[in-house]
Amino acid sequence: MKTAIAYLRVSTNEQGRSGLGLASQRKVIDEFAAAEGFVLSEVVTEVASGKLGLAERAGLRKALAMASKQRCPVIVAKLDRLSRDVAFISGLMAAGTPFIVAELGVDTDPFILHLFAALSEKERKLIASRTKSALADLKAQGVQLGNRTNLPAAQALGQARNAEKAAAFAAAILPEIRRLQAQAMTMAQIAEELNRRGVKTALGRTWHQSTVSRLLKAAA
């Protein structure tokens, strides 16, 4: 059996007190560890914003230090539990920090890690900007924010957020799809290559020729 350190993070004190998000992260990591033959020697839980640097993340520093001492990896449920910042993730990778993202698997290609980090960062920036703008527009129209009776307005905001997530995903994956196109690969071959690398679509599904085609048409 292989040893590993589990790292769980939530963003607010309220989440930390209620356990919101922590239980689901622990379940994902436990199931992954059991399937891959890891024994968790320590579970580190932290309540901190993913925007903070390593110097401000005592829990993550502790997890990394223990992993270094025990010569084992740190396991997180999702990449954004480490950070939503590309530079932060790239810095960990460049430093040779051993970490495993349960969602992506043990032997994840570095390209996939960079892709997910870029997607997460872009999604965070887009959603924050557009949500702020959408809320301002609704408020200007006299919509009483936080009023559950305003269902149409809430649905419209939800649709806007989904659209931003799709746009962020397309922006992150398009450069690689176009690079594969430049290698004279067909859309079917591109779909097969993305599936081989473990890349999922924006909806978390496998790629097909039609999926690649629709994404390229939308971008055009």
Side-chain angles (χ1 to χ4, degrees):
M1 298 292 282
K2 301 164 287 187
T3 301
I5 307 295
Y7 175 73
L8 292 68
R9 180 184 68 80
V10 287
S11 299
T12 67
N13 288 325
E14 180 180 358
Q15 286 179 312
R17 288 193 299 269
S18 68
L20 181 62
L22 294 175
S24 58
Q25 289 179 53
R26 181 62 191 269
K27 182 174 183 294
V28 168
I29 293 175
D30 283 345
E31 291 177 350
F32 174 82
E36 297 294 337
F38 283 102
V39 173
L40 301 178
S41 62
E42 193 77 34
V43 177
V44 179
T45 300
E46 181 164 49
V47 179
S49 169
K51 298 178 183 178
L52 297 176
L54 187 58
E56 302 167 288
R57 302 264 296 276
L60 182 55
R61 291 201 313 275
K62 176 183 177 182
L64 294 175
M66 287 190 296
S68 176
K69 184 176 181 179
Q70 297 179 30
R71 297 185 178 181
C72 69
V74 171
I75 300 178
V76 293
K78 298 179 66 177
L79 187 61
D80 64 8
R81 295 306 84 197
L82 288 174
S83 177
R84 286 180 177 269
D85 184 82
V86 175
F88 189 101
I89 299 298
S90 296
L92 291 179
M93 294 172 65
T97 303
F99 65 85
I100 297 173
V101 181
E103 180 184 48
L104 303 178
V106 177
D107 299 314
T108 307
D109 190 296
F111 161 76
I112 301 297
L113 291 173
H114 279 292
L115 173 63
F116 272 78
L119 171 61
S120 186
E121 179 180 284
K122 191 170 185 67
E123 178 183 329
R124 170 175 56 82
K125 291 179 179 177
L126 281 172
I127 290 177
S129 174
R130 303 301 175 130
T131 300
K132 184 178 180 180
S133 177
L135 288 172
D137 288 344
L138 290 173
K139 189 174 181 180
Q141 295 168 21
V143 175
Q144 189 176 355
L145 300 179
N147 185 349
R148 293 177 66 87
T149 62
N150 292 320
L151 184 58
Q155 290 175 330
L157 184 57
Q159 290 171 353
R161 286 174 175 169
N162 289 337
E164 292 303 336
K165 288 183 179 181
F169 180 84
I173 193 66
L174 268 172
E176 181 61 15
I177 288 179
R178 285 176 174 147
R179 188 184 72 79
L180 295 175
Q181 269 191 310
Q183 296 177 11
M185 293 179 68
T186 66
M187 292 185 190
Q189 289 172 327
I190 291 173
E192 183 180 349
E193 175 63 14
L194 292 174
N195 289 330
R196 185 189 68 79
R197 296 184 187 183
V199 180
K200 299 294 184 181
T201 67
L203 297 177
R205 300 170 182 168
T206 55
W207 290 86
H208 300 281
Q209 178 179 337
S210 58
T211 321
V212 177
S213 177
R214 282 197 301 269
L215 191 147
L216 288 171
K217 286 180 180 178

